Amino acid sequence: MSKKNELQPWRTERYCIPESDRARFVAQMETVLDVYQQQYDDKHVLICMDEASRQILADLSEPLPARPKRDGKPGNWKRVDDKYVRHGVRSLLLFYNPIEGWRRIGCRESRTRTDWAEEVRQLLEHDYPHAETVTLVCDNLNTHAIASLYHTFDAKTAGDLRRRIHLVFTPKNGSWLNMAEMELSVLSRQCIGSQRFASEESLDAAVHKWVAARNAGRCGAQWRFTTADARVKLQSLYPQHDI
């Protein structure tokens, strides 16, 4: 234990990638980084996918509105009671094209392998029906697998989808490599955040309104961190070899 923790025993050290896992980490990291450096067009599309869960919390008491300072009397912020009622959980599956500035969020009751497969089918057949291949960058979860397509659809449908999709997984402890995670962070800050919703419908409406506004503005991302940068800035993660 470090001296810092001896003085403050409630503090913990940040988790580090074990030395035995570093080769696996950098291999998957460089695979993702190389994918981001490739050229894409209407026939070959790059999509980043990530998931989040959101509790639906409704107010028990009507919030008190903000009041501006007036006639020498001090104003106040909007005031919300800390008591609430829980109306379940909503699963958000985000599909994000950082080059075109397009995104779609599927709002569902769960995020099982069937939910993922149905969202992928919509991505391929409705969002990008003319694309020959879609490279899908996603976290390495057990639901994010070609097997989920065969679990959900008949063999012909699953096979047609499989031939058009190329899955690329971010490494364990490396979800920051997924640009969809950044877009979910924007969603949290700009839209849902600490806001309360009375129902699933109101949450879905707010999310879809945010998606429409972001798509209208073609808000994309420019990924600048390359494999060459990783080999310099993250050199300590690479296995060391005696030459």
Side-chain angles (χ1 to χ4, degrees):
M1 182 180 292
S2 65
K3 292 183 179 180
K4 173 182 65 178
N5 285 7
E6 289 176 357
L7 297 175
Q8 299 175 317
W10 61 87
R11 300 189 65 175
T12 58
E13 298 288 351
R14 287 192 175 274
Y15 176 77
C16 298
I17 300 173
E19 187 172 353
S20 59
D21 287 346
R22 292 182 180 180
R24 172 196 53 79
F25 179 89
V26 297
Q28 286 186 262
M29 175 185 67
E30 289 200 356
T31 299
V32 175
L33 295 178
D34 287 350
V35 164
Y36 287 162
Q37 296 301 308
Q38 295 176 9
Q39 298 296 318
Y40 298 93
D41 52 38
D42 294 339
K43 296 295 184 181
H44 305 87
V45 180
L46 171 66
I47 299 293
C48 298
M49 181 265 166
D50 201 4
E51 305 176 3
S53 294
R54 167 73 183 187
Q55 289 193 85
I56 302 175
L57 306 177
D59 291 309
L60 279 176
S61 303
E62 190 70 21
L64 298 178
R67 184 181 62 185
K69 182 179 180 180
R70 184 177 299 173
D71 299 330
K73 297 181 179 180
N76 57 259
W77 295 94
K78 177 181 178 180
R79 287 171 288 184
V80 179
D81 192 354
D82 60 351
K83 298 180 179 61
Y84 57 83
V85 58
R86 187 172 181 269
H87 289 307
V89 178
R90 204 69 170 147
S91 296
L92 308 177
L93 284 74
L94 168 69
F95 293 83
Y96 176 47
N97 186 326
I99 299 174
E100 296 180 354
W102 171 92
R103 77 276 295 137
R104 177 176 60 78
I105 297 180
C107 301
R108 292 179 167 267
E109 295 182 357
S110 59
R111 44 178 179 167
T112 64
R113 61 171 60 184
T114 298
D115 294 301
W116 183 83
E118 290 174 346
E119 291 292 338
V120 167
R121 183 177 186 178
Q122 181 170 343
L123 175 72
L124 295 175
E125 295 185 350
H126 298 280
D127 299 329
Y128 291 94
H130 304 297
E132 295 178 2
T133 60
V134 171
T135 299
L136 185 64
V137 177
C138 53
D139 294 345
N140 201 349
L141 301 180
N142 60 348
T143 56
H144 300 166
I146 295 299
S148 297
L149 301 177
Y150 285 87
H151 173 82
T152 307
F153 309 118
D154 61 86
K156 182 180 184 309
T157 301
D160 292 341
L161 297 174
R162 171 181 56 79
R163 295 183 185 96
R164 295 180 55 208
I165 193 167
H166 174 217
L167 297 182
V168 178
F169 300 107
T170 58
K172 182 181 178 181
N173 307 319
S175 60
W176 57 272
L177 290 161
N178 191 343
M179 283 189 271
E181 184 175 90
M182 298 186 298
E183 192 66 11
L184 281 178
S185 176
V186 178
L187 170 68
S188 179
R189 295 195 308 271
Q190 294 184 351
C191 180
I192 53 179
S194 59
Q195 183 178 352
R196 293 178 179 176
F197 299 92
S199 64
E200 294 180 354
E201 291 75 17
S202 59
L203 171 62
D204 294 356
V207 169
H208 293 152
K209 182 178 179 180
W210 177 86
V211 166
R214 295 279 289 177
N215 284 345
R218 297 179 64 87
C219 301
Q222 293 184 351
W223 186 269
R224 299 184 182 276
F225 190 67
T226 65
T227 301
D229 295 327
R231 292 176 180 177
V232 175
K233 297 181 179 181
L234 301 180
Q235 184 180 9
S236 61
L237 294 179
Y238 284 75
Q240 302 301 311
H241 302 282
D242 296 332
I243 301 177

